[in-house]
Amino acid sequence: MTLSFSAATQKKIDEILRHYPNKRAPLIPVLVLAQEEFGELRDDVKRLVATTLELTPSEVQEAVTFYSQLKERPVGKIHFQVCKTLSCDLAGGEEILEYLREKLGVEANVVTPDGRFSYEGVECLASCDTAPAMFCRGRYFEKLTRDQIDAIIRTGRLE
Ligand code: FES
């Protein structure tokens, strides 16, 4: 069976495409949506993105390899990427990662049994002056707190 996006994701992609001059430009936001839908950017998902945006598989692969937000292995529906580089580490990033481990009951890069969450420490997110920083579902969080983590886990939303 040929892989396809859900109607909801396709609608979001169509909306994104309206804001770009051509189909090739919004590669990263479409890859983020694909990752949210399928949990990982495995080969058939990358092919679907390439077909959707009229790109070659190698153009898609280059982007997936370059951006640490993009994952070729399974991640949870919500994947926390907490900066572990020096400024964030000193400001409590490592403690946030430890908190996620306790709260979710899994190690870094392991998806919770319900498939909802995963997390990892990543290199500098370029928000060093507002540490600790986190990237999650296309959004940056600055001066990250445990309360924000709790709210996301409790509600499943980023608000
Ligand atoms: S050290 Fe964390 S954002 Fe730069």
Side-chain angles (χ1 to χ4, degrees), residues 86-152:
L86 188 60
S87 295
C88 288
D89 189 24
L90 293 172
E94 192 60 44
E95 282 135 41
I96 298 257
L97 283 165
E98 178 59 25
Y99 186 62
L100 280 164
R101 192 176 72 77
E102 285 169 21
K103 191 92 182 169
L104 298 177
V106 293
E107 298 298 322
N109 291 310
V110 175
V111 181
T112 54
D114 61 7
R116 294 178 70 207
F117 301 105
S118 55
Y119 68 93
E120 68 176 324
V122 296
E123 298 305 325
C124 182
L125 293 169
S127 285
C128 320
D129 55 339
T130 52
M134 177 177 78
F135 184 78
C136 184
R137 296 194 81 172
R139 247 187 81 183
Y140 283 98
F141 291 79
E142 298 168 314
K143 298 187 177 178
L144 181 67
T145 66
R146 290 181 179 206
D147 287 345
Q148 287 174 295
I149 297 287
D150 286 342
I152 295 169

Side-chain angles (χ1 to χ4, degrees), residues 51-75:
T51 304
T52 302
L53 299 181
E54 298 172 3
L55 293 164
T56 65
S58 61
E59 287 172 313
V60 173
Q61 183 61 47
E62 275 175 31
V64 171
T65 305
F66 186 77
Y67 292 98
S68 65
Q69 302 96 313
L70 302 172
K71 301 294 174 197
E72 294 181 88
R73 54 178 166 61
V75 292

